[in-house]
Amino acid sequence: LPEDFPGTVEIVDFDEVPIPYLPGNATRIVADLIQASGAAPVTKIDITKTQVSLTVNGPDGLLTWTWSGGVVSTSNTQSTQVSSTPFDPTQFALDKVPSILATAARLVGSESNQSLQIVEYNAGTVLMTVTTRPETRPVFFRPDGSVINVLDFTTTQGMAEGLKDAVGASPLVRSIT
């Protein structure tokens, strides 16, 4: 039935898809970078079309391991990170990078120079965020790859989602202000 199918289908040459964006590749590349770093505590991950970077807190300070074009290299970083909460990259939906980027592009209306970062956002909370250049607005994602919506606290749905994210698994809330 023709009405059940899209009017146009875009065929993309496999060679045109950025390697880090192919399903499963971000997971494998990050695993390679973790191995190269000697499994030092990870404090930041950056994923772009052309490279994946992993910043670790090594014995001599912050060190960045970068995968680009299949080659892994390292350098001391000039990071602005002062004190970041280490995290386990396997707890983040790296296998969903393609869908996370597509969701972010749909929400902000741009996929121009997208960058996905996993980094401490606030007080020990580590999130995924996608930004574009030129900057539109960042889109935040939970570790499972679900989008953190812009909330309208005047609605029941907005209040419920905000409370769920703020409270997490805590069995007790002492105050809501």
Side-chain angles (χ1 to χ4, degrees), residues 9-160:
V9 175
E10 182 180 354
I11 305 297
V12 177
D13 185 347
F14 185 76
D15 293 332
E16 293 177 17
V17 179
I19 291 174
Y21 292 2
L22 291 171
N25 278 4
T27 303
R28 285 189 294 279
I29 292 168
V30 167
D32 289 348
L33 292 172
I34 290 169
Q35 183 177 11
S37 77
V42 177
T43 60
K44 183 178 181 184
I45 294 175
D46 287 290
I47 301 173
T48 68
K49 282 184 177 184
T50 59
Q51 67 181 31
V52 178
S53 297
L54 177 101
T55 302
V56 298
N57 193 356
D60 298 323
L62 296 176
L63 191 63
T64 298
W65 292 85
T66 302
W67 175 97
S68 182
V71 177
V72 173
S73 60
T74 185
S75 66
N76 289 325
T77 183
Q78 299 296 323
S79 178
T80 58
Q81 288 181 299
V82 177
S83 175
S84 292
T85 301
F87 61 89
D88 178 358
T90 66
Q91 299 303 304
F92 289 82
L94 292 170
D95 58 321
K96 295 182 180 177
V97 166
S99 65
I100 289 169
L101 294 172
T103 298
R106 181 178 47 79
L107 290 173
V108 301
S110 174
E111 59 183 37
S112 174
N113 296 310
Q114 284 182 310
S115 174
L116 183 148
Q117 290 187 346
I118 304 174
V119 67
E120 181 178 23
Y121 171 68
N122 184 24
T125 302
V126 178
L127 296 174
M128 291 187 284
T129 183
V130 176
T131 57
T132 58
R133 286 201 177 99
E135 185 75 38
T136 49
R137 72 171 169 85
V139 180
F140 293 91
F141 293 84
R142 294 177 188 88
D144 68 0
S146 61
V147 69
I148 299 174
N149 295 304
V150 175
L151 301 178
D152 178 354
F153 288 108
T154 64
T155 67
T156 303
Q157 181 181 354
M159 188 62 109

